[in-house]
Amino acid sequence: MSRRALPFRTPGDEAVKAQQWVLVVDGEGFELPEALPDWDYQMSLHLRNEVHVDLDAVHASTGLTPDAKLSLVVVWTATGSGLRGTAQRVPLSGEGAHTVELDVELSGTQLGGLLTLDTQLVLAESRETGAIASPRRGGSVLWTHTRTLYLQGDAPQFPIAVVDFEATQLPTDSAWHVQLSEELNTATMGALLLLVNERKKPVVTAFQNAASPRPIDKVYLAAAYADIARTMIEHALADPDFNHDSEYAEDSLGATLQSLLENLFPHMSVQHLRQRREQSPNLFATEIQAAVSIFEEA
């Protein structure tokens, strides 16, 4: 197994030790599992961890001196959204042993797919001088601990934002609006957004209860899902370059649209669907209702 060789000295295993990540639910901590099958984009993640850093051992193994400015950083990456960010940054300096309490909260609307948490010890500022082969460039990663979590649920798999349509150009009496990017190779979670009108309280409540909906919630969700499917299908068919054989990046909007059409119309080509839409758009909209089984379980 090959190992990447860094151009500077790094701490030994005894210098920096991370504990296991903990998922916090209603104030109670649980060991973070490999996957969250009931997760949806309404669910933010509250996570905690503890990292022990022996700065004396770090300095001895890297050649850095006690005046070196270090930081313990938590970086998250989500394949579903294609997004990446810094969840927490804790400065470290001086000598002796330190216990760093990490406490991060990640918004569900930015996540999806495979979530990767990289806990890193980095050199916070560049240094002009130092021991031979000691790290000198600011941002150099001296140590990393990686943890992954697969997020997959049965609730709607796209980001949702609740906004006041009065403050937008959208019709104030509408319940929701689907925003779609024209660039089909963009990550789906960054290319698709469902806006829900906060003035439509029953609809907002239905989406909040999407993971465990009441009978009335199922009615609103069924109507919304049918309309969202129709919007996405028409968006795909309106693009002359879109086809089942088109190559799109994994987790991209184009790949999502291909999957949607294959699931709803498994025996029809894109060209045939385009023709049906052009010849009888009203009938085609009704066929989409049938394909999504609207109100079947309401």
Side-chain angles (χ1 to χ4, degrees):
M1 180 177 174
S2 62
R3 186 173 181 179
R4 185 167 62 99
L6 296 173
F8 49 79
R9 293 155 61 182
T10 58
D13 293 337
E14 76 287 349
V16 189
K17 296 180 180 180
Q19 303 302 308
Q20 296 299 318
W21 280 100
V22 171
L23 175 66
V24 181
V25 181
D26 295 330
E28 187 174 356
F30 304 88
E31 183 178 344
L32 189 64
E34 296 297 322
L36 289 178
D38 296 325
W39 178 87
D40 66 74
Y41 288 96
Q42 309 266 347
M43 178 182 176
S44 295
L45 298 180
H46 185 186
L47 304 168
R48 289 177 181 162
N49 200 352
E50 194 174 85
V51 181
H52 303 288
V53 184
D54 184 340
L55 289 179
D56 293 337
V58 170
H59 298 151
S61 56
T62 62
L64 292 170
T65 54
D67 63 330
K69 296 185 182 300
L70 305 174
S71 290
L72 199 65
V73 182
V74 179
V75 178
W76 62 270
T77 307
T79 61
S81 63
L83 298 177
R84 174 185 174 93
T86 300
Q88 188 172 0
R89 181 184 295 270
V90 180
L92 291 170
S93 61
E95 302 174 320
H98 296 252
T99 297
V100 180
E101 302 285 348
L102 299 176
D103 192 309
V104 304
E105 186 154 355
L106 304 178
S107 173
T109 59
Q110 296 182 311
L111 307 179
L114 184 67
L115 172 67
T116 301
L117 296 168
D118 287 313
T119 308
Q120 302 174 337
L121 181 67
V122 303
L123 182 62
E125 294 183 0
S126 297
R127 298 173 61 81
E128 297 297 331
T129 59
I132 296 175
S134 66
R136 298 188 183 184
R137 179 173 296 179
S140 296
V141 178
L142 313 183
W143 170 91
T144 299
H145 175 268
T146 299
R147 178 68 160 84
T148 59
L149 173 66
Y150 186 66
L151 301 172
Q152 180 65 54
D154 295 327
Q157 295 297 293
F158 41 77
I160 301 173
V162 178
V163 300
D164 184 358
F165 279 22
E166 181 71 33
T168 72
Q169 296 181 341
L170 299 173
T172 57
D173 289 332
S174 56
W176 56 75
H177 173 74
V178 184
Q179 289 185 349
L180 287 163
S181 171
E182 297 296 329
E183 179 48 62
L184 299 189
N185 263 312
T186 303
T188 301
M189 294 309 116
L192 188 157
L193 176 64
L194 176 65
L195 300 176
V196 180
N197 191 350
E198 70 175 22
R199 295 170 180 263
K200 303 296 182 179
K201 301 301 183 184
V203 178
V204 174
T205 301
F207 276 100
Q208 290 172 340
N209 296 338
S212 183
R214 304 167 300 168
I216 187 60
D217 296 328
K218 292 182 179 180
V219 174
Y220 288 116
L221 293 173
Y225 296 164
D227 187 55
I228 293 166
R230 179 189 57 79
T231 302
M232 294 177 67
I233 289 171
E234 291 185 348
H235 186 77
L237 299 180
D239 187 332
D241 296 325
F242 177 84
N243 203 294
H244 281 313
D245 298 328
S246 302
E247 294 187 3
Y248 298 108
E250 185 179 0
D251 294 324
S252 68
L253 178 59
T256 298
L257 295 175
Q258 286 176 328
S259 178
L260 178 63
L261 287 174
E262 289 169 359
N263 288 334
L264 296 183
F265 301 100
H267 305 299
M268 295 188 186
S269 67
V270 170
Q271 184 58 34
H272 181 65
L273 291 172
R274 278 200 182 97
Q275 291 174 351
R276 293 183 70 84
R277 175 175 174 267
E278 293 171 359
Q279 292 170 359
S280 184
N282 293 342
L283 177 58
F284 184 65
T286 305
E287 290 173 340
I288 294 175
Q289 283 188 26
V292 300
S293 301
I294 188 171
F295 302 134
E296 185 172 286
E297 298 180 0

